[in-house]
Every structure is written in C-alpha cells, then in structure tokens.
Amino acid sequence: MTERLWFLIPEFVVLVGAVSCAILGVSRSVTVRRSLPIVAFITLIIAFLASSYVYSPASMEIAIGPGAVPLPWLGRVVIPVVVIVGVLLVMVQAGFIDRSYEGEIAAGEARFNPLRTSRGEYYAFFLLSLCGLMLTAAAPDLVWLFLALELTSLPTYVMVAISRNDRRAQEAAMKYFFLGALSVAIFLFGFALLYGATGTMELMAMKDVLVARAADTGSIGSLATLGLLLSILGIAFKLAAAPLHLYAPDVYEGAASQVTAFLGFVPKAGGAIALMLILSVTGWMDDGGMLPDPILVTLWVMAVLTMTLGNIGALLQTRIKRMLAYSSISHSGYILIGIIAGPGAGFVAVLVYLLAYGIGNTATFAVLSSLRRGDCEVESIDDLAGLREKHPGLAWAMAISAGSLLGFPPLLGFWGKLLLFIAGVASGHLVLVVIAGVNSAISAWYYLRMVALPLTGAASSASGSIERREYGGPRLAALASVVLLILLPLLLQSMMDESADGVLSLEELTEVQQSQVAAVYDLP
Amino acid sequence: MTPILTFIPKLSMSAPAVPVSDAIISPNLSWAGLILLLPLVSLVLCGLCAAMRVKSKLPAVITAASLAGAFVTSVFLYLNYEPPGEVIPLLDWMNLTWGEGRFESFTANFSLYIDSLSLLWIMFVTGLGTLITIYASEYMEPDLGKGYSRFFAGVSVFLFAMAALVLSDNLLMLYLGWEGVGFASYWLIGYYFERPAAVAAAKKAFIVNRIGDLGLALAIYLIWTTFGTVQYDELSTIFAAGSMNPEFEGWTTSAIPFLLMLAAFGKSAQLPLYVWLPDAMEGPTPVSALIHAATMVTAGIYLIARTYQFFLLEPVSLHVIAWVGGLTALLAATIGMAQHDIKRIMAYSTVSQLGYMFLGLGVLTTYGAAYHVFTHAFFKALLFLTCGAIMHGFAGQLDLRKISGLRHMKGWRITAWTMLIGCLALAGFPLTSGFFSKDAILAEAFVTQGPGFEILGWMAIFTAGLTAYYTFRVWFRVCAGPASFEPGDEQHDDHGGAFHPHAPRFAINMVLVLLAVGSLVAAVPYFMSNQADDRLVGGWVADMVHDSPARGGIPGFSETHAVHAIADSHEAAAHAGEAAHPTLFGMDPHAAMYWISGTVGIVGLLLAAWLHLWRRSAADAIKAWLYSQFWIAWLPRAMERKWYVDEFYHAVIRAPLWILGHIFYVFDRFIIDGVCVDGIARIPRGVARWLQPLQAGAVQSLAVVMAGGAAIILLLMALFMQFGWFGGQV
Amino acid sequence: MSLLASEAFSQASLAHAILLSGALLSIGIAGFLSRRNLIVMFLCTELMFQAVIVAMVAFGRWYWDFSGQVFVIFILTVAAAEAALALALVVLLYRRRSTLDAEVWTELRE
Amino acid sequence: MLGVLLMVVPLVGAVAIALSPSRAAKGIALVATLAGLGIAILAAIDFSDWGTGGWGLEYNLPLLPAMGISLALGADSVSMLLMLLTTLLMPLAILGSWTAVSDRLREYYGWLLLLSTAMIGVFLARDLLVFYICFEFTLVPMYFLIAIYGSTNRAWASLKFFIYTFLGSLFALAGFLYVAWANAEHAGAWSFAIPDLVHFASTGLTTGEQGWILLALMAGFAVKIPLFPVHTWLPLAHTEAPTAGSVLLAGVLLKLGTYGLFRFVLPMVPAAVVEWAPFMGVLAIIGILYAALICWVQTDVKKLVAYSSVSHLGFCVLGLLALNPLGLQGSVLYMINHGLSTGALFFLIGMMYERYHTRDMGTIGGLGSKMPVWSFFMVFFVLASVGLPGLNGFVSEFLCLLGTFAAGGTGAYPGVLGPWFAAAAALGMVFAAMYLLLMVGKIVFGSLREPSGVHSDLPADLNAREILVLVPLAIGCVVLGVQPDFVMHAIEGSIADTLASYPTAVTDATEILVGRGGMP
C-alpha cells in the first residue's frame, strides 16, 4: 500500500511550497516577500513536472495494484489542469495582498511586523487549497475524499476573509463558512449512511458491495441511495449547483476579485471531481453499469435548475462580480451534463470544460483585478463602458473571455461546451442538451454586455474614472488566458486524449497496462 | 397524396416525346434579329447621348433610323416569309433538362417565331414607331438637352420589347416583351417625373399591368405543367395531335384561357383593368399615340390571337371576352362623351375601340379584330398626334371648350383636316378604313351563336353611334366654328408678351399627312384578293391571320383541319354553317351592317354637328337640364366621373390593402416582435425577478432555501422510490 | 465482521444509535436555521458533526470495522480546525459590528 | 489548397490591419479582398466539376480525429457560386464604405475581413462543425459592425440580431449533434463529415426522428433566412447596420439560411421535408405577402428594402420546397440574384444616406433631377428586384414559382406543393411592384425635396468610386438575366444530388397516405 505514496509526490511538492510560502512570508526582506508569487509559481511548475513523471507507464502497475481507486489515472489530468489554471491564478494574485501595508513599509511609515502581514499565509493557503484539489483526484476512500475537500475549502474561507479590508468581504466569509459547514455536515451524513449501507469506506469495495446487491435485489438499497443523494447534495455546495448555489453570488461579490477568480475555479473543480468519484460506487463505470434512477433524476434536475437559475439570475445583475457569480453557477449546470453523461465521453468533457471554464473565468477576473476606481474595485458593469478608449487590451481580453464563457466558436469555451453537448447527446440526454442550448442563448444576453460595453459603448462619467492598477500580474494573467483561449483549441485532440487517459476506469487501465506489458515483453 | 395533387390532370407517364413540329427552323434568317437588335443599339446610343449630355437632335435621328431599319427588315421578312411558320433561333436563354420525358425539360430561348400574325403586327408596329419617332423629334424639342435622350431611349426600349413580344417563339419571351412594354410605358408615362400626376399615372399603369402579368405568368405555369412546353411550335404540334390528348381535359385547360384573358385585359385596358389607360395620358403625346393607342395596347389582342387554340377549347372564355369587350366599349364611350380634355376623350375612345376588338375575338372573328387593330393603329395614332400638335402649339391646352375654329387659323390647316380624316375613320364613316374594320366585327356578332350575342351586337351598334358623336364633338368644337383660343398653363419659351400658338412644322405635318393617308388606305387590304384560300372573306388581313393559331376565328373558314379537331364541335355550332346563316333585316349580316353602321355613324355625326357646331348653346342647355333632373342627373355625373371605377378600386382594393399593410406592420412590431419575441425574451428576466427574494441576504434565509431545496429533492426522490416510479432500480 | 460482533451489538442498538444520530442532525439543522447568534449557529454545525460521528461509530461497531472510528478521529480534527477558524471569524465580525447577530450581515443580496 | 487560401487571405488581411496604422486599413482591406476575388476566380476557372455535381477545392486536415472532426473544405458548383458572390461583394463593400466610415477604421475593416473568412468558410465547409463554427462566427463581425457603426438604436438591434440567431443555431447544433451521434452509433465511429452524415441521416433515421431534426435545423436556418414569423430581427438589424453591413447581411448572410436548407435540410431529412413542406410553404407564402404589404407602408427606405428581403427570400424557400429541379434552380439563382440586386439597393441607400443623413421618404425625394446617375441605378436595381424580365430577378422568381406550380405531381419529381401555393405566392409579384415603385416614385421621382444642411463633402451625384461599386452588380444583373443558362447548367449536377432521394421520398409518403385511405 505504501508504494501508492508515489502518486502523492506532486501533492507533497505543493505542500512543501505552501509551507515555504508561509515561512518566507514573514521574512524581513522585501525581496523575499515579493518573491512569494514566484515561489508559488515554481512550486506549481515542479508539481506539474512531478505529475508527468509520476503518472508514467512504469507506475501503472502500482496504480492498478492494491488500494486502487476508481479513476486511477485521474491525477494525470487534474494536476496539469490545476497547474495551468493555478499559474494563471498566481499571476492574478501577484502584488495584491498586503499592498497598502507593503506600501507603508516602502514609504517608511511603518516597520515590518510579522503579525500584521498576511502575504505568507495567503500564498500558503492558496497552495494548500490547490493541494487539496489535487488530493481529491486521488481519493481512494471516503475519509480521504472528505479530508481533501476540506483541505480545498478551509483555506478559501480564510482567503475570502483576509482578501480585503471591507465589510462585504467579512460578510462573504461568514456566509461562506457557515453555509459551507452546513454542506459539509450534509455530505458527511451521506458518507455515514453510505458507510452504513456497505460497511466499508473504500470506494472500490463499496462499489463491489453495491453492485453485488444490485445484482441480487435489483437495486442498491434505499440507505445507499439516500447516502448518495445526501453526498451529492452536499458536494453540490462545492460545485455551486442548485439548490446549494445560493451562497455563490454573495461570496463572489464580497471577496476581492483575485479571490473570486480562485473561488470560481478551485472548489468547483473539487466538487466535480468528488462527484465523479462518489458516483463511481454505483458501478456505472463497469460495462453496462448505469446510475440508479433517483440519482440520475436528481442530477438531471440539479443540472437544469443550476444552469437556468444561474443564467436568469445573471440577467438582472448590474454588479459585474455578482453577474459572474451567477454565470459560474450556470457553468456548474453545464458541468453536471458531463457528469450525467457519465464515464468516458462525459468525464472527458467535464475535464476539458473545467480547463476552458477555469481559463475563461480567470481571464475575466484578471481584467477586473487590473482595474480600480481610486482604491476600490470595479463594481458596476457600466463601469466597463468605453473601456477600450483607455485600455483597449483589457477591453479585448474581457470580450474574448466573455465569448469563451458564452461558448462561442472558435474559442476554447465553445469546444468545451461542444464536448459536453456531444457527450450529453450520446448518452441519450438530448433534452438536457437542448435546455443547455437555450440557456446558452439566455447567457448571451449578459455576456454580450460584457463584450459590448467595453468595446462598443461610450465612456460615461462613471466609467471615465476607472484606471489601471499599477502592478502587472493580473494583466499578464489576462493576456496569457486570452492567448490560451484562442490557441488551446489547436491542442484539443491531445487534451481529449489526455483526458480520456485520465478517466480510464480501473479495468480499462488494467487492460491498457497488460497490453503495454505485452508490447514490452512481446507476449502474444 | 394531398388533394392539391389532383388538380393536375393525370398524365400517362408514357406520353410520347414532343413530335417534331411543322414549323421550319430557319437559322439562316437570323438577320431578322435586327428587328430586335436595332432598337437595342438605339437604346445604347441614346443612353450614351444622355451620359454625354448631347444637346442636338441626334437621339431622335438615331432612333428614327434604327426603327426605320427595323421596319425595312420586317418588310423583307414578310417578303421572304413562307407559311406555315418559321422559327429563328437567336440566343439561348433558359434551357433546363433533367430527364428524357416530356415534363423533364424547360426551354425558353430568344428565338423568333415568324408567321403571318407576327408579321402583320411587327410591320405596323415598326412602321408606326418610325413615323411617331419622326413626329416626336419635333414635338420633344423643348426638352432638347434635358430629357430628349431619355425619351428616345424609352421609345427604343418600347420598340425592342414590343418586337420581342410579337416575334417571340415562346410564351416566356412573350412575357419578357409583355413586361418590357409595361416597363417602357412606365418609363415614358413618367417622363415628366417631376410632376406628381405623371409619376402616379406611371406607377398605376405598371401595377395594373402587373396584375395582368400575374395572369400571364400563371397561365404560363399552367401551360407548362399541362403541356410540358411553352414554345408555340410545340404547342401547335400538340394541338395538331388532336382531341385524343389527355391534356385537353381537366380544369387546367379551362383555366388557361381565363388567365390569359386577365393578362390581355390588363394590357389592353379592358374592364375591369382599364383604369390605367386614361391616366397614362400624362405622358408626352407621341407616347400616347404610339404606346397607348396604336401598338402596346393591342398586345392583348395579339396574345389572345396567338393563343386562340386555348380559347377554342373553352367556349365560355370566348363568351366572356365578347361581353367584356362589348361592355367596355359602351362604358368607355359613355365616359368619353362627358370629358372635356381631348386627349382623355381619345384615351377613352381607345379603350372603347379595344373593346370592339375583344368583342371581335369573342365572336370568333380574329380577322375582324386584327383588322380593326390595324386600321385603328393608323387613325388613332393620327388623332393623338393631332391632339399632340394642338397641345404643343397651345401650351398644353387640351380643353375642347377653350379652343375653337382651328381650321381657320394660319398654319393649322393640315392639323385640322388630317384630324377630320382621323375622326371620320374612328366614327366609322362609310368607306373609311374604320368603317370596314368595325363592320367586320359588328356583323359577326350577329352571325356567331352565343349567349346574348345579338344584344351585344345591337349594343355595339349603339356604341358606334356614341363613338361618332363624341369623336365629332371634338372635331366640331376644336377645328370648326369661330376661331378663338386660350393658351394652356405650360411654360413656353416665349414668355412675356402675348401668347402665340406654335403651328406645327414640317416633321409633324408630314407625319400627320402620312398617317391620314394611311387611315384611308388601310381600307384597301379589305379588298385585296385572298392568296391563301379564296373561299375566305376579308382580304389580306384574313390571309395574314390564316397562317396562325388564330385561324380558328376567321369567318367562313371551315376547313376541317387537324388543328381544330377539338374546337370543331364548338366552332361548327358557333358558325352554324352557311345554310343556317342568320340574317339581319333579311340581308346577309355583313351587307346589312354596311347600311346600319353607316347610318348610325352619320346620325352620331349630325348630332355632334348640331350640338357642337351649329347650336353650341343647345349642348350646354341639355347638359344643364340633365344635371338639374334628379332622376337622370346621376348619369352624366357618373359618366364624367368615369363611372367611379377609380374610386371603386381605391375603396375595394387599394385602401383595404393599405390598411392591411398598416395593421400588419403594427402586428409585426407589437405582436410578433413585441409580444412574442421580446415577450419570450423577457420571460427569463421575469422569472429571475420572481425568484430574487430567495436571495434575501441573511445567512439563515440562504440556509433555509438551501436546506429546503435539498430536503425537497430528497423528499421527492423518497416519494418516487416509495411508489416505485423508478422501475425495479431501487 | 463476525457473528460475535452482531450478537454484542444488536440491530436494535444500531437503530437506536442511528435514531440518535438523526435526532442530533435535525436539532443541529433546526438550530442552525433558527438561531441568529453566530456562536450558537456554529455550535449547531458542531452538533451536526456529532450526529455524523455517532452514526459512524455505530456503523463501525455494527460492521466490526475500524474505519468508521478512524473517520471519527479525522472528523474531530477537522471540526477542531473549523472551530478555530470559526472563532477567529466571529471575533473579526464582532469587532466590525459589535454584535453577534447574523441578521445584520445582509449587505450582499439579490 | 485554394480553398484554404480563400479563407486565409482575408484572415491575413485582418491581422495585417491589426498590426498597421489605421490609415492603411482601407488599402489593406481592399487589396486582401481583391486578392480573395482573384483567387476565387482562379478557383472557379480551375474547377472542373461545373455541371456534374462533383467537388473541387478539396482540403482535409484532421482536427479532432477521435470525434471525426476535420477542417474539411470543398466546393460543388452551388458553393462555388455563392463563394464567388461573397468574394465579389467583399471588395465592393469595402469600396462602398470608403468615405462612409471615418472612425475606428482598423476594427471596421478587420471585422469585414473576418466576416469574409467566416462566410467563405460556411460555403466551403465539408465538415459539419466547420460549417457550424463559421455559421456562428459570422454573427460576431456583424454584431460589431452593427453595434459600433450602426445608427441610433444600434445596441438593441445588434443584441437582438445576435441572440435571436444564436438561439436558433443552437437548436440546429442540437440537431446536428443528434445526427452525428446516431451516425456514430450506426457506424461505430464518430464522423462530422457532411457527406457521411447526409447519407446516414437520409437513409438511417426514421421519419419521426427526421421530423425532429428538421425542426431543429429549421430553427437555425429559418431565423437566418428569415422565414415568417421569425423575421423580426432583420428589419431592425438592417435599419441600424452600416451600409456595408446591410449589403453583406442581405447579400450573403441571409443566404446562409437558404444554403443550409439546400445543403442540409433537403438532402438529410427527405421524409420529414415531404411531410412538412406544405406547412413551411405556407409560412413562406405568408412571409411573401405579409412582408410585402408591410413594405408598402414604410417610410424608412432601408426598412422597406429590409422587409422586401423577407418577402423575396420567401420565394427562395418556396423554390427549395418545390423539390424539383426547376424550383431548386430558381432558388439557387435567387440566392445569387437577391445578393446582387438587394445588395446594390442597400449600397444606393447608403450613398443617399451618406449625403443627406436621412432615410425617411417624407423628408427626401425627387432626387431624379439632382442625382441622375444615382437615380438611374436606383431604378435599374429596383427593376431587377421587381423581376423585370431580361434582368436577373425574373429568371429566378419565375423558376421558383414554376417549380412550385409544377410540384403538384407531374414528371419525374413529384412534389407536395402545387398550383395554389404558386398562385398565392405570385401575388407577391404584384405587391413587389407596388412597394418598390412607391419607393422609387417617392425618392427618385417627383419634385425635389431634400433636408437642409450639407452632411458630406461628396459631389451631388455619384462619384467614380461609387459608380465603380455599382457597375459590377449591374453587369451581373444583366448577364444573369439574359444568360442564366450557363449558371443553370453549372449547378445541374449539384441540384440533382441534393434531390437524389426525393422522387422516392415523395412517392413513399403518398403511398402511405394511399394505404391509409387518405387518397381522394
């Protein structure tokens, strides 16, 4: 069993990075403190390199060995996705936390006091949360899954609270924390019921029990169903899926843009991955396996509600972060289509979509993070009017990322959505896809405002006072994201191939491994 | 199969391919294309003149020369002509083939079909066109350098389109000419485009014609779907194949003549589509003479003559034509009696005379109709041109009450006397050309059997009297009596000082004299011997008609020809044989008609002379008396207001459509776009607003909604599981 | 899992434990939804966690399987971490508004 | 490779514009579009399958082998013609906006060039997704052209245009995906190649499935055409769009819908088309008459011409639904002819607008005496639009109607429409004359009325550049009016291919009715 620790090397790297950040953050040297983003960046890059080294054909045997997980190769995809988006997020964060305090120190008005600084722990939390996300993908049992999800979430509560010295940030943190705790209780109770129904915490064993029971009695039993439903509903909080999506607008609005960018991606990805894993206990990754109807119906209803409520909620908003929050809710709905579509095409689509959404989301918030009115953030969407007159680059970045989030060809978002739709159609959920299509059209309404106001609108007196932030990190992130949104479709095939590898089930991976062994040893 | 399918007659799929037609394909006659080409060349040159702002009479010279060339070509073509007909391919237009069968190709090329009918028409069209162009070269002088080139370009377009219409070898090219002459008419009526009345008249002409064109288009569709071709020679072949053809049954063959009729009525200004023609007088007078009197308006006659076989298949259509023609003749004559504008009187007389021609077609005398077209072309052009000369000379004055004694004025003699000749011909004064041509129609109304044809005949005779009256009302008022005039309100060059009428000069006078001679000489063909079949009556014109599809309408032509196999029964009944030939006052109708119509004409003439020359005050007294008697006052009033037909159309068609347009527009903006599209677009926002309270702000309220939502889902699932709605899965 | 285990821990005992767990969860949720004091709300979440813990222990005992109890340890740890976080947050909020009433935090809405 | 070049040249132009100063934008755009036209002409000369229904300009670059998606290009004769129309209109559109647009030049010409790429892509696509992407992408440049360079109500118009058509095309996408999936189930591998899918859908789907797919595809294409009652975005978009935008919108973008009908709906779902054709035919006829009457009461010239497009495209759809070669010939010709004549009308209105800054027939009129050359072209193109024989509009309108008329059951191609459809639609000919002549009568004829004030330093009448814009279109109108034969022969093969499954589909449908005793 211990050889499985091999797969945790990337997570260890990130953990080490996090600890380093926490330590370096209290350094007296300004240069060291300033280098924290670079440390985080390097950590992520090393984690990426480690992941490609860890998930190699040679380690396949360990992956399929004892203590196997339902999706043994998932980390191979999730870690690069997390790293790509993580790197972009690091750029967005760069220079933001503790800005005024550092300014005071630089001006000689204050002396450095390790108690007053929070930069170190901010980056540490940032990396810890990412680490949690990576760990989620590797979860073999419920305990691990629980801990990984908590590791993903807990730092974000702190990040929201310390993101800016504003009442709204604290309100957001409060709501986020308390509602988060509620959701944790819900899915934990679900876990308890699952455990009660099967007598094991390990996902694979649990699957075996449930499959055997379904073969005997025709169903997995109401206790297991109830446990699954509760788990799904609890995890829906992480995903910001209806009906547990309500916190998202408030929290996203309250947190600083930089943190919102983070919140838009990391917990959501964790939720999606956790859903994929927890649903594996129904045995639907096996040949001929399918979701029990109550689960399917619940997911279906959640998907429809999530995308619809998200999109129509966004229509009414005048504050841009709140609007983007609703938009991120709707994206959870689209992601649920992929989950419903199931192992194979559906999961591939989810992973590609997570990447597309993560980049697009980061790009919009990167633009918002690059702008300020006085010392405050950009609040109203009308503040973006006529942005191109002063900052054409940011205006274009906003438009392109909105286009990608809308799913407009040929940007990356389109391909993500297309794969989701294809998976949906292929799994027989045409109606769901049509509903998603209608929702896309509804979303065009507000995304177009994000395109139209910066590019075609005329600057108003309100928007005239919008200026660019002095530090370039977010701008760089916006530029990088936009480039990725435009160019990544060219790599779509390899992205799909990687994702397809990533979602190979244990049996499939075993077959692959055996055929590789056969190739290496030239066996018949 | 939908019921619609059954409207198309069943065709045996093994219908034989179209047999080779009896028309000769004569590519070596392609020089005949000059008739079409020359006006086109002239059009281009006139266009160049316009672009280069030429200020001389060059455009007129070019046009006259090219039209003369076309006329000469037509004459040569006539001299080279050999029956039964020749097809001259010029240029491909539409050739579609998608299979081997009869209904698997569609061909309509720019090819000429030369038979005597088209030759008859093309010769007088180009001939009159040339003369009128010469006349116009002087008439349009005031516009030199302004619209002069545009005018002659329009004339060229017209001649091209008319030639295409007459010479085409298929219905589609005919349609091209048909719309082309309508367009030329639009162009030329709207020549004074800064005058709102002219623009309105032009538009009206085009649109009313379009309604007719619609009929023609539908007829073409029907003909193709029924017969699989729109080419005359192939159609003739099909007709020649006799009555065994399955095509000759079903509703299509009955509908075709009515649709064609609609087209003809539109173009030739018959009831109910005649309203555009009087308004068309807003155009320059040469245009009125050329297009709206002599040539274009006879296209309807030509069309029916050309497609006469279809009409013979459906006797009712001929009856309708006869009645419409007769009624139009009467109605237009009554309106003509009450007008004061001499050009308008001539316009209504044109409508009336066209009515005669249709009457002729309806009572199975295509020859009479064609002959009347021929003579009418001369004398009506002459009359219009004299009106034009007067208008030109008196600054646009056209009111017959304001000009008098023209024949006494210096320089106006030729105008006055040529007008007299024209009037005599129009009135059907014995031995003029109009006398013979009208008789050919009138008599046949008594010969041919048909519903109420005899009444129709008497009505037509009565109309002839009215015609004589209003024609000479003009002449006696304008040309006879004491010399006096009031100038019109048109700006002329010599403003300042007293107004002097411009007497017409050489070009106008020459044309007037030539046309006057023509009006008289046009009687001669009636007495020329028949070359084709000496059993025929009617001379040269009958000869010309004989070699055409219209030969079914030549009196006395009873040759049992395969072409008429279908029509025979009807024709035999109609013409009822020589033995049972009806009589009129104990005489042969043709002979009797000489006397009757002559007498009626003279009576009308004398009445006009009494009221408008000798006792002009009596006319006014009668009119005043008529207006004062309430029981009869409506009659002259209605006559003066053209029987309220324009108002009728306005109220029944135009206004409702206009209102409908507005309703649609409002519907489009507020119902479809506003309520439906925008309304649907508003639904998401509405729902969102309705759901907004869920996001109430306090953490508990969020928790309630979240926990409540989760609980609802759990409960629903539990219920579903309980009731086993998920099959055996749980 | 052995026969001994099920003899020592009857189905009725399991049912009682689960009922207790359900009751605790319900009380926790009800308290969470109805109380406005931030600290009490947090205590309610702790109560919910305890419900899970009871269930986990009961099932672990039922199956004679230690993973349930192991999970409990982790839950307790995480709950402790959350408690630290929660108290820090509550202090922060109290400093800002001088009240523990959750209802005053309604600036973010709709 | 020529096909790729056709798409890449405008793209390169757009990039070049983005990188160069704004005064060079016009020039680069003109050069790029002229180069595109040159390549298109070369391609047309090089194309060896005129008349046969074969495919040229073929190019295939696998993009997503797992899903069977590739950058597959190719053109049959119909695509070729529409591509030629596009490449012809592009330089004209750029010349036409030479002085009209003075602000944000780089974006303007950049968007025009991107639009060109997308439009060509639609016509050349041999892969369903390439088609869909290009089809969708046309929205973006058009959106910006309207939203930035439009008149007063531009924001709303552009939004409506975008969302309306976007929503429609998402339904179409769902339909496409369903077909692709069904094909994948059937064949065992994903493919988005149009020939595969067309072949599969027409043979492998049940009539019920075809019906749903028809509805989905029509949701996309009917909005684009636009067919009554989903046409209301068009008048708005046209009125607000700048001249070049209107020209391309009417000239090419509307044809994307009819092209979609021709390329996908007809060959893919024959059984459903047979079932639904009468219904769609009725919609087309309503559109023809309804829009024509609305035209008649307009005072805004541009709105009038915009509504006239709705009316005209009704004929085009009717021709397609005739399901026989006559109708399809007419319809394809109609696509080209409408592009030429209505495109020209929008140019002319733009030229007037540039001088007077009004489109209201109440305040402007009688320009015949002041702008004779403009008036000449105006009357000319109005006549082409009215369908005067000898000009292009007639041929196509005639064939569409004749096809519809003949679609009653004669010949090798029995259809499901018939004489009554054609007769009702033919009324549209009269209405067209009414509203177009009303327009000409008001703005060209009559006494001169013009708003005060000078809005432009252009000469009173057209200058050489503007004449140069109009002359090619006029020549096109005359040539296609007098010699449509060469075009008709050129597209014969493609039309036969499109109709390949029809005689049987119609016969089958009627036989079913006969079996049910539905035959009278």
Side-chain angles (χ1 to χ4, degrees), chain B residues 168-192:
Chain B
S168 68
D169 97 314
N170 58 67
L171 285 165
L172 207 63
M173 186 174 161
L174 178 133
Y175 187 83
L176 177 137
W178 191 264
E179 288 240 315
V181 292
F183 160 62
S185 168
Y186 174 75
W187 180 332
L188 291 168
I189 296 170
Y191 173 75
Y192 300 112

Side-chain angles (χ1 to χ4, degrees), chain B residues 116-245:
Chain B
S116 48
L117 190 67
S118 49
L119 281 172
L120 173 67
W121 243 270
I122 196 64
M123 282 195 291
F124 84 75
V125 166
T126 48
L128 278 177
T130 313
L131 287 181
I132 293 172
T133 309
I134 295 169
Y135 172 95
S137 71
E138 184 183 327
Y139 184 89
M140 297 308 292
E141 261 173 5
D143 283 4
L144 266 180
K146 286 184 284 182
Y148 203 73
S149 311
R150 184 157 51 87
F151 177 85
F152 286 98
V155 171
S156 308
V157 170
F158 170 74
L159 257 298
F160 165 76
M162 193 69 199
L165 192 163
V166 169
L167 296 177
S168 68
D169 97 314
N170 58 67
L171 285 165
L172 207 63
M173 186 174 161
L174 178 133
Y175 187 83
L176 177 137
W178 191 264
E179 288 240 315
V181 292
F183 160 62
S185 168
Y186 174 75
W187 180 332
L188 291 168
I189 296 170
Y191 173 75
Y192 300 112
F193 65 81
E194 286 171 351
R195 268 195 229 153
V199 178
K203 198 174 77 190
K204 186 173 178 183
F206 196 86
I207 291 168
V208 175
N209 268 306
R210 262 262 153 152
I211 296 172
D213 298 349
L214 177 64
L216 182 55
L218 289 177
I220 294 174
Y221 305 149
L222 257 183
I223 289 170
W224 187 82
T225 43
T226 315
F227 299 98
T229 180
V230 293
Q231 300 185 86
Y232 300 150
D233 54 343
E234 293 185 2
L235 283 172
S236 301
T237 316
I238 291 170
F239 275 100
S243 59
M244 302 318 285
N245 268 351

Side-chain angles (χ1 to χ4, degrees), chain D residues 167-207:
Chain D
L167 176 63
S169 52
L170 282 168
F171 283 109
L173 178 64
F176 283 150
L177 292 184
Y178 183 80
V179 174
W181 169 70
N183 176 52
E185 290 278 290
H186 173 79
W190 284 86
S191 167
F192 279 88
I194 290 173
D196 295 354
L197 294 185
V198 164
H199 175 75
F200 165 73
S202 59
T203 54
L205 295 179
T206 65
T207 310

